[in-house]
């Protein structure tokens, strides 16, 4: 089954990125590159566009999460990628 992932958007809705729930590449360099570029895009969002709003596209019961800064994003990412 294909998972939709997480929708991560800025508070003012100027940017919206979908992060897959897995790195979907294993040892395939072209797919790891795609996943890493998505992460790079999210990490490149400026401080003034925070907080970020995270929605789980696969779990409708998941309440949205607000990430206040880049360190909060990194902590959130560690938790969901376990």
């Amino acid at each position: 089954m294909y998972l939709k992932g997480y929708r991560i958007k800025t508070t003012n809705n100027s940017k919206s990125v979908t992060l897959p729930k897995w790195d979907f590449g294993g040892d395939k360099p072209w797919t790891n590159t795609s996943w890493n570029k998505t992460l790079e895009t999210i990490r490149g969002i400026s401080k003034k566009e925070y907080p970020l709003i995270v929605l789980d596209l696969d779990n409708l019961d998941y309440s949205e999460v607000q990430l206040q800064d880049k360190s909060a994003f990194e902590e959130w990412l560690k938790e969901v990628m376990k």
Side-chain angles (χ1 to χ4, degrees):
M1 181 175 143
Y2 178 73
L3 298 174
K4 295 175 185 172
Y6 298 98
R7 171 75 35 88
I8 299 172
K9 60 184 182 175
T10 58
T11 309
N12 61 8
N13 291 321
S14 65
K15 291 184 183 173
S16 178
V17 178
T18 301
L19 179 67
K21 290 190 174 179
W22 32 272
D23 69 1
F24 71 107
D27 59 354
K28 307 269 191 285
W30 57 88
T31 53
N32 282 339
T33 299
S34 175
W35 197 77
N36 288 333
K37 283 184 181 182
T38 302
L39 275 181
E40 185 180 312
T41 299
I42 297 166
R43 289 176 174 145
I45 295 173
S46 72
K47 288 182 189 180
K48 66 182 178 183
E49 296 185 83
Y50 276 78
L52 297 180
I53 299 168
V54 180
L55 304 167
D56 186 336
L57 300 175
D58 299 298
N59 183 358
L60 299 177
D61 296 330
Y62 182 84
S63 60
E64 71 180 34
V65 173
Q66 285 196 8
L67 305 173
Q68 299 300 320
D69 55 28
K70 291 183 184 221
S71 64
F73 170 72
E74 294 299 331
E75 288 301 315
W76 172 83
L77 187 62
K78 285 179 193 174
E79 287 300 312
V80 298
M81 292 299 151
K82 285 183 179 179

